[in-house]
Every structure is written in C-alpha cells, then in structure tokens.
Amino acid sequence: MGHGSAGLRRLAHEVAKFGAVGALGTVVNFGVSNLLWHLTSLQAVRANVIATVVAIGVNYLGFRYFTYRDRDKSARTKELSLFLAFSAVGLVIENGILYAAIYGFGWDSSLERNIFKVVGIGLGTLFRFWSYRSWVFKALPAHDAVADAESILEEAETAEARRPKPKARVS
C-alpha cells in the first residue's frame, strides 16, 4: 500500500479515538444538562452552558491522555489555552443554536431542547475536531521526530558495537 493509504488509516484511527472521547463527553453533556433542566430552576441555556463546560473538562482529559497522548507535550500551557479558546467557540456554537431554538422559535419542550442540543453538538464537534487537530494537539515537528529516530538508531548501533562477537569455529 502507498503512503496515502497509511495516512488515511492514521486519520481514520484518530477520528475513531476522537469519536470515542467525544461520545463520552456527549453522554456527560446530555446527562448534566438534562439533570439540571429537570432538577433545578436554572434557565435552560445557562444549565446547558454548565453541562458543556463539564463535558469540555472530560474531553480535555480524554484527548490529552488517550486520543493525542503521543503528540507534543512541551507546551502544555499554550495547549490548554488554545483548547479552552477553541472549546469556548464550540460552546458558543452549541448554545447559540439552543438559544435560537428556544428564544427565536419558542421550541422549548424537553424533546425540542434535546434535538437542538444534538444539532449544536454536531456543528460544534466538526469545528472542535478541525481546530484541536490543527492547532491544539499538534504532531511533533518533523525535525524533532527525525532527531528522535536518529538518536534511537545511534543507541542501537552503539549497543550492537558493544555486544561480544561469536568466535569463529575452526574445523
């Protein structure tokens, strides 16, 4: 198989891992929002913002320690800042759609809230996937990866050179 198919396989693997973390975050998001909607008197969008923030925390842990655990970890403060900034945009997308449904169209039943939550999460997820992989959890720069590979090869060659050689047999 060519180089392109390996890249496609890697992307499919990344999308699957991103999806698994996202699915967990979505369950948390729906669970928290529905609990708050049914058990508190919080305004619907405010309750949903809280649920989204909780899910963002769960997602960061999943992305950092599962989906993108092999990515560059040298700039954690910058990574977290970018993650939170792009997550905030996703939060605005998700909650903006819910806000428009409730206050623009009067769609405020439990079913309608959840339908527009799905639409908002879907659009927010597309944005998040693009932004997280492009800006937040970047692959190690190529020169670092090459340097790492070269140092591993040098260590292997040094270890090989130190190994005792078998003696030649004389018959």
Side-chain angles (χ1 to χ4, degrees), residues 12-22 62-63 66-70:
H13 187 69
E14 178 184 339
V15 168
K17 289 167 81 175
F18 185 94
V21 171
F63 293 140
F66 176 65
T67 306
Y68 298 113
R69 71 175 176 262
D70 58 333

Side-chain angles (χ1 to χ4, degrees), residues 93-105:
I93 292 169
E94 176 187 334
N95 289 283
I97 288 171
L98 184 64
Y99 183 91
I102 292 171
Y103 297 104
F105 297 96

